[in-house]
């Protein structure tokens, strides 16, 4: 790759631009990084779409080392200005439209943020760091967060996805993430933009917006609403506890080789229906006086997602052998911690449930599937 140094054993982490840091994984990562890196300052650029919230950034450790900027990653002038003014040495790019079902019902914002927005960030970084030479002596870094969904869907006997599995995205969401990954590689190869890339599996844990499977099921069950399982419920995801993911990204920033991709997975692959039943069992135990017990009776099999990927699974051998990372949580302890977090954050839940946009989304997505209250 043009101009890329092969290894980054001692990296400069000082002024960091995190995009999408008011969303689920981004806010967990901001919290994690402030804890483990005492000398950094985080500039957090987030447009605060429906998925982002300042509620996710309350009670940050050492919050004076965190500056929030509300803005769009597509705003090239704003991004360049942030890079120059704050002498950003590391960009960690989480911002995205992230929900497959929304991408099926309306792909346009996915093209805009995931493709055009990633291009704007890459080009701004190239302008400031490479063309203007406005970069730290140790060298800057662009870290891109992506997904296992770029690899497509596994058949029953297929080996898990590795870093060399060919891209075969199936949903509009996955296609836009694949496009953004390819742009990152192209900027590395053509212009020598120093980058690392991680593709992770399905995350779950605190602060996840309740449009995704696990928080949706917890919130619906608490309200005695149907638990809509798509198709036969036998689809498989490789569940990764969000804090484990944060730890892996931090390690890649510290020790990952420039120009490399690392797969991050949870080594946990129960079928969707098992996940939902496990959540119900945990709620039966933790909310013993609920009128909705046994919560499993709320499960409702509903119309499948169009083009639904059957199975994802990650081969994490590369990050494990090169950087010594492996997940600390399995779904047994991770789901329990997650349910406890939602039970302890009723005000956070209420804020989302009271929003018109959220209720419109639920009606649009589940009304069409014939979910009955
Ligand atoms: P999220 O939807 O919870 O948060 C996305 C954040 O990006 C929000 O705060 C939103 O306001 C912000 N954002 C959206 N468009 C923006 C724009 N144009 N400019 C600035 N900010 C904008 O997403 P997440 O689940 O936290 O995912 C974060 C990243 O991880 C994404 O890149 C996603 O593709 C990737 N990923 C997520 C998962 C998962 O299971 N959640 C799995 C694999 C990869
Ligand atoms: P989701 O959390 O949307 O993540 P992704 O589509 O990125 O994997 O969905 C996880 C799995 O759960 C997926 O197979 C679709 C399924 N699912 C349901 O069965 N019901 C639901 O209401 C949702 C949101 C998802």
């Amino acid at each position: 790759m043009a101009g890329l140094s092969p290894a980054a054993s001692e990296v400069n982490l000082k002024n960091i631009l995190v995009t999408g840091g008011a969303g689920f994984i981004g806010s967990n990562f901001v919290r994690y990084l402030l804890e483990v890196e005492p000398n950094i300052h985080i500039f957090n650029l987030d447009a605060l779409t429906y998925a982002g919230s300042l509620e996710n950034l309350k009670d940050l450790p050492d919050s004076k080392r965190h500056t929030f900027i509300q803005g769009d990653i597509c705003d090239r002038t704003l991004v360049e200005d942030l890079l120059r003014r704050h002498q950003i040495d590391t960009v960690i790019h989480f911002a995205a439209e992230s929900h497959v079902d929304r991408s099926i019902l309306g792909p346009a914002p996915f093209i805009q943020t995931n493709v055009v927005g990633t291009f704007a960030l890459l080009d701004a970084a190239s302008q400031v760091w490479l063309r203007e030479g406005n970069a730290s002596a140790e060298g800057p870094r662009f870290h891109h967060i992506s997904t296992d969904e770029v690899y497509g869907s596994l058949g029953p006997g297929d080996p898990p996805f590795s870093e060399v599995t060919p891209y075969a995205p199936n949903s509009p969401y996955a296609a836009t993430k694949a496009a953004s990954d390819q742009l990152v590689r192209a900027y590395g190869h053509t212009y020598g933009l120093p980058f690392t890339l991680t593709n992770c599996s399905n995350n779950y844990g605190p602060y996840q917006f309740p449009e995704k499977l696990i928080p949706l099921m917890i919130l619906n069950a608490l309200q005695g609403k149907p638990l809509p399982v798509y198709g036969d419920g036998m689809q498989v995801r490789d569940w990764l506890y969000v804090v484990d993911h944060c730890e892996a990204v931090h390690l890649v920033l510290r020790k990952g080789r420039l120009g490399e991709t690392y797969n991050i997975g949870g080594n946990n692959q129960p079928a969707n229906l098992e996940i939902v039943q496990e959540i119900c069992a945990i709620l039966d135990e933790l909310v013993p006086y609920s009128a909705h017990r046994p919560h499993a009776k709320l499960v409702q099999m509903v119309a499948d997602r169009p083009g639904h990927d059957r199975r994802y699974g990650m081969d994490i051998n590369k990050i494990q052998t090169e950087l010594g990372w492996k997940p600390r949580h399995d779904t047994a302890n991770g789901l329990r911690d997650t349910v406890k977090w939602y039970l302890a954050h009723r005000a956070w839940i209420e804020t989302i449930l009271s929003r018109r946009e959220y209720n419109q989304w639920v009606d649009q997505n589940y009304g069409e599937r014939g979910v009955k209250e």
Side-chain angles (χ1 to χ4, degrees):
M1 302 222 164
L4 293 192
S5 58
S9 51
E10 249 333 295
V11 281
N12 182 40
L13 285 182
K14 200 165 163 226
N15 297 320
I16 300 187
L17 179 64
V18 168
T19 71
F24 162 49
I25 306 175
S27 62
N28 276 283
F29 184 76
V30 165
R31 186 169 284 103
Y32 179 86
L33 207 62
L34 287 171
E35 265 164 22
V36 297
E37 290 281 355
N39 299 316
I40 56 157
H41 193 107
I42 297 178
F43 298 88
N44 183 351
L45 174 63
D46 195 298
L48 295 182
T49 68
Y50 79 91
S53 172
L54 294 178
E55 296 292 312
N56 299 350
L57 296 164
K58 280 190 172 160
D59 307 323
L60 288 178
D62 206 4
S63 61
K64 62 183 181 309
R65 293 190 288 116
H66 172 256
T67 305
F68 183 78
I69 304 113
Q70 184 170 1
D72 193 325
I73 56 167
C74 300
D75 184 343
R76 174 71 191 261
T77 312
L78 169 66
V79 173
E80 276 191 27
D81 181 56
L82 290 171
L83 291 171
R84 282 193 203 99
R85 193 145 43 101
H86 302 298
Q87 297 184 301
I88 300 294
D89 49 68
T90 309
V91 173
I92 309 170
H93 177 31
F94 292 93
E97 289 292 334
S98 69
H99 190 34
V100 172
D101 289 325
R102 288 190 191 245
S103 84
I104 293 169
L105 291 174
F110 290 71
I111 309 286
Q112 182 62 21
T113 288
N114 300 0
V115 184
V116 179
T118 301
F119 159 69
L121 283 174
L122 288 166
D123 214 51
S126 299
Q127 172 64 29
V128 174
W129 290 341
L130 306 180
R131 290 176 217 129
E132 296 172 14
N134 211 334
S136 60
E138 295 88 343
R141 160 101 59 123
F142 190 101
H143 183 79
H144 182 57
I145 304 289
S146 191
T147 167
D148 57 0
E149 303 194 23
V150 298
Y151 299 122
S153 183
L154 292 167
D158 290 342
F161 304 127
S162 82
E163 288 80 358
V164 295
T165 302
Y167 276 26
N170 286 322
S171 69
Y173 162 68
T176 58
K177 291 299 290 186
S180 68
D181 294 8
Q182 307 292 19
L183 279 171
V184 173
R185 285 171 201 281
Y187 267 73
H189 187 82
T190 305
Y191 305 113
L193 185 75
F195 77 89
T196 38
L197 206 162
T198 46
N199 293 79
C200 68
S201 56
N202 287 59
N203 283 224
Y204 68 105
Y207 299 100
Q208 186 165 31
F209 192 81
E211 64 188 352
K212 306 282 166 59
L213 179 73
I214 288 175
L216 181 93
M217 295 299 159
I218 298 172
L219 267 55
N220 279 15
L222 284 174
Q223 298 170 89
K225 290 188 170 175
L227 308 181
V229 175
Y230 297 167
D232 64 1
M234 287 299 121
Q235 303 81 9
V236 170
R237 300 294 183 260
D238 188 355
W239 295 100
L240 171 66
Y241 193 67
V242 65
V243 181
D244 289 341
H245 181 202
C246 294
E247 192 179 357
V249 171
H250 179 234
L251 211 57
V252 171
L253 288 173
R254 275 272 160 221
K255 296 186 179 157
R257 286 180 296 138
L258 291 179
E260 291 291 323
T261 291
Y262 295 88
N263 279 356
I264 305 170
N267 277 346
N268 273 286
Q269 296 153 9
N272 290 345
L273 197 52
E274 288 175 60
I275 290 274
V276 176
Q277 284 162 347
E278 179 72 24
I279 291 169
C280 291
I282 295 170
L283 282 171
D284 287 350
E285 183 197 324
L286 295 182
V287 197
Y289 303 109
S290 165
H292 311 304
R293 282 176 91 232
H295 293 88
K297 73 177 186 309
L298 298 168
V299 170
Q300 197 174 107
M301 309 308 287
V302 301
D304 208 350
R305 171 187 281 174
H308 199 169
D309 282 341
R310 193 70 180 166
R311 178 165 79 94
Y312 305 142
M314 284 299 226
D315 175 347
I316 59 167
N317 193 46
K318 180 174 175 182
I319 190 165
Q320 196 163 354
T321 51
E322 238 182 68
L323 307 181
W325 177 88
K326 64 174 195 291
R328 294 178 197 275
H329 292 78
D330 56 23
T331 40
N333 54 34
L335 276 180
R336 181 169 285 271
D337 286 356
T338 304
V339 171
K340 281 185 181 163
W341 186 88
Y342 282 92
L343 288 174
H345 290 79
R346 301 283 182 148
W348 186 92
I349 294 175
E350 286 309 322
T351 309
I352 290 174
L353 294 184
S354 64
R355 284 199 212 138
R356 202 154 58 126
E357 196 283 340
Y358 180 70
N359 291 298
Q360 279 169 346
W361 162 253
V362 170
D363 288 347
Q364 189 189 8
N365 191 44
Y366 296 98
E368 284 179 9
R369 288 192 156 83
V371 177
K372 308 247 177 345
E373 296 266 327

